Amino acid sequence: MTPPRAEVDGGAGPADVAVELRGITKRFPGTLANDAVDLTVRRGEIHALMGENGAGKSTLMSVLYGMEVPDAGTIRIDGRDVDFASPADAMAAGLGMVHQSFKLFGSLSVAENVVYAAEPRRFGLVDRAAARRRVRELAEQHGLFVDPDARVGDLPVGLRQRVEILKLLHRGARTLILDEPTAVLTPAEADALFAVLKSLAAEGRTVILVTHKLREVLEGSDHVTVLRDGRVVARLVTAETSADEIAAAMTGRAVELDRIHAPGAPGEVVLDTTGLSADAVHDITLSVRAGEIVGIAGVAGNGQSELIEALAGLRPVTAGRVTLKDDDITHASATERRLKGLAYVPEDRHAVGTAPAASVADNLAMGHHRTSLSSRGLLRPAAVRAHARRLIERFGIKASAPEAPASALSGGNLQKLLIGRELAHDAPLLLVEQPTRGVDIGAIQNIHDQLIAYRDAGHAVLLVSAELSEIRGLADRVLVMYEGRITATYDKTEADERTLGLAMAGGTSARVEAAD
C-alpha cells in the first residue's frame, strides 16, 4: 500500500476547523468499510474526498451525517464533540447533504420544496408569500437563480440540484456535503455549480465534495483526502498535487489518463438509419460499421438520448427507416431488436438499466434468460450463479455476494454491472450512453479497454457521452448533434476539443458531411 502523504492539517487551529473525524471505523457483515479514518476539514474551504468505488467515501459521509453509527471513533463539529443519532441531529449542528439521488417532491413548487419542514408561518399557517420571498432572497444572494413558483418535476436536473442547495441554505447549513454533484450535469452546469461553491466557501461556509472527477477537483478544491480500501492513503494540498498523483493514490498504480486509443478497422455496415425522426429528433441519417465506434457529442438536451431511445425501440419512430444488419427494425419492439442483435446501456441505470430490488445475479442474467441460462423455458440457477461470478470478476463489481440486492451496490458498481451484462451478450450492435458516469478512475480505464476490445472483435458501437475526453479517446468518428439534428461529423484526427465545442454550440465552422 502506498504510504499516506504528510498531513496538510498543520497550522489549522481549533477555531479554523469545521469538521474533525478521528479514528472512524465502520464494519458491515464481511466488509470493513472504514478503518480508523481521520479527516480534518477547515472552515471556508472546499475539501475533496476521493477514492475508487467501494473505497469507503459514502460510508464515511453517512457516518458524518448521522445515517450510520460508527463502531469506533469521534466526530467534532466546530470544535464540539457530537454524537449524531440521525440526519436531523446533523442538520441541527449545521450540516447539510445533497445526495446523488435528489430528495425532492416533483409535484410541489420550488418554494414548497425549499421550506418543507421548516416553513415560515403566520397566524399558525404556512406563509407562502414569505416562503417565495425567502427563496428569491437566497437565490439572488448565492447566484442560485430558479423560479420559486416552478414545479420541481418540470425542472432540468441542474436546476433541481440548485433547489437541493437552497434547502440546505434555508436551514442554515454551515457545512455542505455534496455526493457526486456533477455526475448528472452538463459541463456548463458543472462550471456554474463550482462558481456557486467557491462563492459559498468565500462566505465562510465549508464544502465537502465527494467525486471521481479529477479536473473538477484540481480546479475547484483546496485540499484532497484519498481513501483506498477504507483507509486514508493520501492527504494533499490541491495546488501542490497533480492528476497523476491523485489517480495513483486512488488506485495504487500508475493510470494512463485521457488515453487516445488507436483507430479500428471498420467493416460492413451494421446499423443504418435514413431520415430518422422521433420526438426531439429530426431527419437523422447515420451508419455504424462492424469494428467501429461512432461517438455522438452534444450539449445535453439536443436529442442524443431521444435518438438512442428510438434506436433501442423505447421511443416510436415517426419517419425514416432503421436497419440492423439489413433487417428493417424501424417499428420493431425493444425485445425484437435485442433478439436481432442489439445490446443497450441506457443513461438511467436505476430506472431503465437495472432492477434494484432484484439480486446482482438476476440483474446480470437479464437478456440472457431466454438463451444460455435457461433450459426448456426454465432458468438454471447454477448457470445463473456461474454467469454472475464470471462477470463480477471480469468487471471488478464489488458485491458482497451474487445473491445481494443490486440496490446495495454503489452507483459505480451498478454501472459496472450494467456494462458487463450488455457486453456479455456479444451482440453485433451496442448502444451505450454515458458508460463511465459515476465510475472511478481505475474502472473507467477497464471499461474503455473493454469497449475497444468489443470493437476490435468486430462489433459496432454507437456511443453517447457528456465527456469530450471519452468521445475523443474512444470514437473512430464523431457526430455532433445540435437541436435534434446531426450538424457535423469528424474523423478521429479532426475531433479536438475546440472544434467539437464550437460545433456543439452551433458554431458555423462545423463541417457538415454525410454521416456514414
Side-chain angles (χ1 to χ4, degrees):
M1 177 179 290
T2 304
R5 282 274 299 271
E7 284 275 4
V8 297
D9 300 334
D16 300 321
V17 175
V19 174
E20 186 176 17
L21 307 180
R22 287 291 177 259
I24 297 296
T25 298
K26 180 64 182 178
R27 294 179 177 85
F28 297 102
T31 302
L32 179 57
N34 292 142
D35 186 4
V37 173
D38 293 344
L39 176 68
T40 301
V41 182
R42 293 179 173 89
R43 186 171 291 107
E45 75 162 334
I46 300 176
H47 194 114
L49 182 64
M50 303 195 73
E52 293 190 284
N53 298 126
K57 309 181 302 297
S58 293
T59 299
L60 188 66
M61 291 300 97
S62 294
V63 167
L64 174 59
Y65 200 52
M67 294 186 293
E68 297 285 353
V69 177
D71 298 312
T74 59
I75 302 173
R76 292 175 67 84
I77 303 297
D78 297 328
R80 180 172 59 88
D81 285 349
V82 296
D83 185 11
F84 297 149
S86 70
D89 292 344
M91 286 187 277
L95 273 64
M97 186 168 183
V98 178
H99 302 267
Q100 285 190 59
S101 299
F102 299 151
K103 312 296 183 184
L104 297 172
F105 299 102
S107 61
L108 299 183
S109 71
V110 168
E112 288 168 332
N113 270 275
V114 169
V115 304
Y116 178 75
E119 298 92 343
R121 294 185 176 273
R122 188 178 184 210
F123 305 125
L125 301 175
V126 174
D127 189 339
R128 297 182 184 277
R132 288 194 293 272
R133 284 196 304 273
R134 175 64 172 158
V135 172
R136 289 193 188 95
E137 290 168 1
L138 286 171
E140 183 174 351
Q141 179 182 350
H142 300 289
L144 291 162
F145 301 107
V146 62
D147 180 2
D149 297 314
R151 180 177 174 272
V152 163
D154 297 331
L155 296 178
V157 66
L159 291 184
R160 275 182 269 163
Q161 187 175 68
R162 291 186 180 187
V163 177
E164 285 280 20
I165 296 173
L166 286 169
K167 279 172 53 179
L168 305 187
L169 296 177
H170 172 64
R171 287 159 176 77
R174 299 183 299 278
T175 295
L176 284 68
I177 305 165
L178 286 83
D179 190 5
E180 298 290 351
T182 64
V184 293
L185 301 185
T186 66
E189 288 172 332
D191 290 343
L193 171 65
F194 270 88
V196 170
L197 297 182
K198 289 178 180 179
S199 174
L200 291 173
E203 295 171 4
R205 286 186 169 85
T206 301
V207 178
I208 302 176
L209 184 69
V210 181
T211 182
H212 292 108
K213 298 189 177 183
L214 288 171
R215 179 186 68 83
E216 294 173 355
V217 167
L218 291 170
E219 293 179 1
S221 72
D222 300 296
H223 294 94
V224 182
T225 297
V226 181
L227 297 182
R228 189 166 77 242
D229 296 328
R231 299 184 180 92
V232 174
V233 295
R235 297 182 177 90
L236 309 168
V237 178
T238 306
E240 298 172 0
T241 189
S242 66
D244 288 335
E245 183 178 21
I246 297 172
M250 289 172 62
T251 63
R253 65 184 186 278
V255 177
E256 188 175 1
L257 301 171
D258 297 332
R259 178 182 175 189
I260 304 294
H261 289 269
E268 65 179 9
V269 172
V270 174
L271 173 70
D272 187 69
T273 78
T274 305
L276 171 65
S277 294
D279 291 341
V281 176
H282 314 291
D283 195 24
I284 299 293
T285 296
L286 63 82
S287 68
V288 188
R289 300 176 183 271
E292 177 183 47
I293 296 177
V294 173
I296 298 179
V299 176
N302 277 276
Q304 307 95 303
S305 294
E306 290 83 356
L307 171 60
I308 296 298
E309 289 176 2
L311 294 174
L314 301 180
R315 185 178 292 268
V317 172
T318 57
R321 186 167 182 261
V322 183
T323 61
L324 177 58
K325 299 198 76 172
D326 295 327
D327 280 343
D328 189 334
I329 62 167
T330 308
H331 300 294
S333 69
T335 299
E336 290 168 337
R337 293 175 195 227
R338 290 183 75 88
L339 291 174
K340 288 179 180 293
L342 182 150
Y344 174 41
V345 176
E347 178 178 15
D348 190 336
R349 58 190 174 227
H350 295 282
V352 181
T354 60
S359 70
V360 169
D362 286 345
N363 271 277
L364 287 169
M366 290 176 182
H368 300 271
H369 58 283
R370 295 186 180 91
T371 55
S372 59
L373 303 182
S374 64
S375 177
R376 298 178 182 178
L378 298 174
L379 282 173
R380 296 181 291 125
V384 171
R385 287 193 296 271
H387 174 77
R389 285 193 292 269
R390 284 194 300 272
L391 295 187
I392 287 170
E393 181 177 357
R394 176 180 169 188
F395 289 91
I397 302 167
K398 292 187 177 180
S400 58
E403 296 77 24
S407 59
L409 298 181
S410 67
N413 279 297
L414 194 64
Q415 185 73 6
K416 294 179 196 177
L417 180 155
L418 180 53
I419 293 281
R421 183 189 71 205
E422 295 304 303
L423 290 184
H425 284 292
D426 204 33
L429 173 66
L430 173 68
L431 307 177
V432 55
E433 296 184 89
Q434 316 301 343
T436 57
R437 176 171 284 171
V439 175
D440 61 65
I441 294 166
I444 287 172
Q445 190 174 44
N446 178 265
I447 289 172
H448 285 180
D449 289 344
Q450 295 280 357
L451 290 173
I452 292 295
Y454 199 76
R455 176 201 71 180
D456 291 346
H459 303 90
V461 180
L462 185 60
L463 164 72
V464 173
S465 177
E467 304 290 341
L468 280 185
S469 60
E470 186 161 67
I471 292 281
R472 295 183 61 239
L474 295 175
D476 300 295
R477 286 187 293 124
V478 181
L479 314 179
V480 176
M481 286 193 71
Y482 181 72
E483 294 185 346
R485 302 178 185 274
I486 293 176
T487 56
T489 179
Y490 303 97
D491 66 31
K492 195 174 193 74
T493 60
E494 300 171 309
D496 61 79
E497 290 208 12
R498 182 183 180 280
T499 300
L500 292 177
L502 181 62
M504 288 165 61
T508 55
S509 68
R511 184 169 62 84
V512 181
E513 297 182 347
D516 58 359

